[in-house]
Amino acid sequence: MAISHICLKCGIDLARVRPFRDPHYELPLVLCPRCGAAAARRRHPSVIQWRRFWRIERTAMAIVLQLATFAGLTVGMTLVCIVSAAELSAGRLPGPRDPLAQSIVVGLIAVLSVAVGAWLTIGLAHWRRWVAWSSFAAWMTVVLGGDVFIGPCLAWILDRIVTEDTRIPFYPHEWILRLGVLAALMLVAVAGIPAGNALGRLWQAFRRQRWRARRRRFRHRSSR
């Protein structure tokens, strides 16, 4: 049901009168069919506030979803790199010894890498591709070297306080192994680019379909 719009001059209800756009002020105007008075068509304040709240809520939900995806992929990649580097440094191949379990683990790692590539493609589509990929790789490089750098630095500070030893006990081999695993995972993540592009096209088609449905509802209401 249309919201009442009363003419202030003669009192007739203008709710069913279609407005037109004023060419100078760009305001939706309605001409009274009885007295010819012009009145500006305004949306109800409750409708304006609801739409404003819905836009803010959708933006906040998109930000939370992006941050949650980013955090989940970071944690997954970090665990895979750390565990694989520890296995390689011990002289063993990463993964369980059972062939079935090993194939399952390899499949999950491949899915994780493809998910990273798809998210970098669709989630950061407003960035240049090389910027998104290099930024994520740089972030993972810092995360994987956190314990490798922080531990020796703390040990160096304690040794400097106790024994006044100025040597930094830094052994980067563990970090280098992690970076090698990260490079292999990022190489597999390239396979996620087509998946990200396909998801992006599906999302654009969904948005176009919603817009067409909205236009059809608006035209249906205006024609009544």
Side-chain angles (χ1 to χ4, degrees):
M1 181 178 181
I3 300 176
S4 297
H5 185 192
I6 305 301
C7 177
L8 298 180
K9 189 173 181 180
C10 64
I12 189 175
D13 190 3
L14 305 176
R16 299 296 182 181
V17 180
R18 180 175 298 181
F20 66 94
R21 184 73 59 178
D22 180 75
H24 183 68
Y25 295 103
E26 294 294 329
L27 291 174
L29 297 180
V30 178
L31 289 179
C32 179
R34 177 185 295 176
C35 63
R41 175 67 56 83
R42 298 282 186 176
R43 293 186 181 274
H44 196 273
S46 61
V47 177
I48 296 176
Q49 294 298 329
W50 169 251
R51 292 194 174 188
R52 185 178 302 169
F53 168 76
W54 181 241
R55 284 195 296 266
I56 295 175
E57 184 184 14
R58 285 189 298 177
T59 303
M61 290 176 60
I63 293 174
V64 170
L65 181 61
Q66 284 279 65
L67 292 177
T69 305
F70 173 69
L73 295 177
T74 300
V75 171
M77 294 284 283
T78 303
L79 291 177
V80 171
C81 291
I82 290 177
V83 173
S84 299
E87 292 285 334
L88 291 174
S89 62
R92 299 187 300 269
L93 292 176
R97 308 280 81 84
D98 181 67
L100 178 60
Q102 190 173 21
S103 61
I104 293 175
V105 171
V106 171
L108 293 176
I109 293 175
V111 169
L112 175 64
S113 300
V114 172
V116 169
W119 176 74
L120 290 174
T121 303
I122 187 175
L124 301 179
H126 54 290
W127 290 16
R128 292 185 178 181
R129 182 165 296 174
W130 70 269
V131 174
W133 284 70
S134 59
S135 299
F136 184 78
W139 164 252
M140 288 303 305
T141 301
V142 173
V143 171
L144 293 175
D147 59 333
V148 177
F149 285 102
I150 293 175
C153 288
L154 293 177
W156 174 74
I157 293 173
L158 293 177
D159 289 340
R160 187 177 178 85
I161 294 174
V162 178
T163 63
E164 297 184 356
D165 188 4
T166 59
R167 293 175 300 175
I168 301 178
F170 175 59
Y171 304 100
H173 64 278
E174 190 77 18
W175 184 50
I176 294 174
L177 287 175
R178 295 176 184 177
L179 293 183
V181 177
L182 175 64
L185 294 178
M186 294 301 292
L187 185 62
V188 177
V190 176
I193 295 178
N197 291 329
L199 290 175
R201 288 192 293 268
L202 288 176
W203 174 247
Q204 293 297 329
F206 174 73
R207 292 186 62 182
R208 287 194 298 267
Q209 186 64 28
R210 286 186 58 190
W211 176 250
R212 290 168 184 167
R214 182 181 177 185
R215 289 184 61 187
R216 285 195 297 267
R217 289 195 301 267
F218 179 76
R219 290 175 178 176
H220 180 68
R221 288 196 301 263
S222 300
S223 62
R224 287 184 301 178

